[in-house]
Amino acid sequence: MPQQLLLHSPLDMHLHLRDGEMLQKIAKESAYSFCGAIVMPNLTTPVTTKEAVIAYKERIKEAIGEEKFEPYMTLFFKSDFDRTFLESLKAHITAIKLYPAGITTNSFGGVSGFDIQTLQKTLQAMSDLEIPLCIHGETNGFVMDREAEFVPIYERLATAFPKLKIIMEHITTKASVEALERHENLYATITLHHLLITLDDVAGGLLRPHLFCKPIAKHPKDREALLDVALKAHPKVMFGSDSAPHPKEAKETCGCAAGIFTAPIALQMLAELFEKHGSLEKLGDFVSGNAKRIYSITPLSKTVVLEKSPFRVREHYNGVVPMFANETIAYIIKEVING
Ligand code: DOR
Ligand code: ZN
């Protein structure tokens, strides 16, 4: 009998589900294998009101149909959110996501300048109400340096608001890994793709648009630092796929959109990676245990049975090309048990 691996209540702590037609096309890919996900608010019109959060959650639930899956909703950070507003929202959201203005897809309404005084009112209210802050931490500097340049900003915020849980989203650098150790209230999500690729895979040979994302994949020494904490399921890191679907035409074009679609293969490839490094026993904490503790959530119960048997990844999912399209990977999802 082929080798099997059971994952209990896997969580994706950073996911783009989109809206409209794209939501219909891709939502089930995550809802099938994960029991829940932190859903990003960077829609074409960012999610900034209670009504928008509630309505978006409804649309997600409709799109996932019968699947047992909890969308953990987020709000798009604005520096004028006040305490009363956040109090009224607390029951409907799990976190607030802050984007520097213009740094990635649909982030033009984000924050420009990280002056503590300007952010004080909202961040203090979030801290008091225990609403975690997720940040896309990149400056608008040179593309390879953007995340490292943002680390001092993370540190300033972590020091100014010591009770606020700050999640450094999709970290890609050794500098971010090191910052985790310096501040009790800093945490991080790590994607599958940043554990697997470096800039060489994106642009070292022929250009690979399906591996283009923000933050861009970095240097081998950065990937090593990410692998080190992920493979031991360091208590401050969690899996967040940052699976970000774009239509094939928007990727295979001059002016390629940033984002890698990993939802359909994420757990299978994580199993392959953790096995390769002899760390399979840590995978459960990386994809579920740490997130439960950091976010204080009790996820829906779902058991994913992975089996070691070769599987050829589809060329596309409703016109969205996944990572490893047409390649053979080592694990398949054999069964998903609701319970
Ligand atoms: O590559 C990315 N794509 N990075 C992000 O931060 C956003 C995402 C998207 O929404 O497409
Ligand atoms: Zn993202």
Side-chain angles (χ1 to χ4, degrees):
M1 158 136 158
Q3 184 184 323
Q4 286 201 341
L5 167 71
L6 267 52
L7 287 176
H8 299 291
S9 297
L11 289 159
D12 182 347
M13 303 311 279
H14 183 131
L15 176 65
H16 296 273
L17 282 178
R18 311 295 193 214
D19 208 350
E21 210 183 319
M22 184 59 94
L23 171 66
Q24 303 301 325
K25 285 179 174 173
I26 54 89
K28 285 194 174 142
E29 299 308 327
S30 293
Y32 173 63
S33 52
F34 290 90
C35 75
I38 296 272
V39 179
M40 291 297 132
N42 63 329
L43 305 183
T44 324
T45 305
V47 181
T48 55
T49 65
K50 182 168 153 184
E51 294 68 36
V53 170
I54 294 170
Y56 184 33
K57 186 169 183 174
E58 273 312 303
R59 294 196 297 279
I60 294 171
K61 292 212 145 167
E62 246 177 72
I64 62 181
E66 297 296 299
E67 298 290 356
K68 194 175 183 186
F69 177 83
E70 178 68 30
Y72 295 103
M73 304 306 290
T74 63
L75 194 66
F76 188 100
F77 183 96
K78 292 281 185 186
S79 50
D80 59 356
F81 289 158
D82 65 19
R83 194 188 165 103
T84 318
F85 172 70
L86 293 178
E87 262 166 355
S88 76
L89 259 154
K90 185 162 160 58
H92 302 280
I93 57 170
T94 303
I96 296 181
K97 174 74 187 283
L98 186 156
Y99 290 91
I103 205 66
T104 190
T105 313
N106 299 332
S107 64
F108 292 100
V111 167
S112 6
F114 282 83
D115 162 38
I116 301 274
Q117 219 143 12
T118 318
L119 305 174
Q120 171 77 30
K121 184 178 66 176
T122 306
L123 294 186
Q124 191 56 53
M126 287 174 63
S127 173
D128 295 344
L129 296 168
E130 299 182 0
I131 301 172
L133 174 68
C134 302
I135 303 185
H136 181 122
E138 288 194 287
T139 66
N140 55 10
F142 177 66
V143 68
M144 287 294 278
D145 297 336
R146 287 176 189 173
E147 184 177 302
E149 285 173 2
F150 200 90
V151 169
I153 303 176
Y154 277 129
E155 299 210 57
R156 269 209 331 266
L157 295 172
T159 305
F161 303 95
K163 296 242 150 46
L164 178 67
K165 279 190 177 169
I166 300 175
I167 295 108
M168 307 160 78
E169 293 294 335
H170 44 51
I171 58 169
T172 60
T173 59
K174 188 163 187 275
S176 294
V177 170
E178 289 167 355
L180 279 175
E181 304 295 345
R182 293 195 291 270
H183 299 267
E184 211 186 317
N185 56 331
L186 282 185
Y187 302 87
T189 54
I190 301 180
T191 71
L192 166 70
H193 46 277
H194 292 121
L195 291 172
L196 293 174
I197 64 172
T198 68
L199 185 61
D200 251 2
D201 297 289
V202 187
L206 292 178
L207 188 66
R208 311 260 311 269
H210 295 290
L211 299 183
F212 172 61
C213 65
K214 303 275 182 71
I216 193 103
K218 304 283 186 319
H219 196 274
K221 70 174 185 310
D222 294 304
R223 186 183 55 175
E224 287 308 313
L226 300 176
L227 273 171
D228 178 52
V229 283
L231 293 171
K232 64 183 178 214
H234 183 296
K236 298 181 90 182
V237 306
M238 338 166 235
F239 175 62
S241 71
D242 200 12
S243 180
H246 292 278
K248 187 173 192 271
E249 315 76 69
K251 294 291 290 175
E252 297 177 6
T253 185
C254 176
C256 159
I260 306 183
F261 183 51
T262 53
I265 50 92
L267 291 178
Q268 300 91 313
M269 281 308 300
L270 281 171
E272 188 169 334
L273 177 71
F274 275 60
E275 187 198 9
K276 179 176 151 206
H277 291 274
S279 303
L280 269 182
E281 82 284 0
K282 294 290 180 189
L283 185 54
D285 281 339
F286 183 59
V287 296
S288 186
N290 288 356
K292 283 196 275 189
R293 180 176 29 76
I294 294 168
Y295 272 95
S296 310
I297 53 178
T298 307
L300 299 170
S301 49
K302 178 182 262 192
T303 302
V304 176
V305 183
L306 290 154
E307 189 172 279
K308 193 158 185 205
S309 105
F311 170 72
R312 191 178 156 89
V313 178
R314 274 163 55 181
E315 189 176 343
H316 68 90
Y317 288 79
N318 292 318
V320 181
V321 178
M323 193 180 189
F324 296 106
N326 292 323
E327 291 181 47
T328 300
I329 62 176
Y331 277 84
I332 55 163
I333 295 181
K334 181 76 182 159
E335 193 185 356
V336 176
I337 304 160
N338 284 329

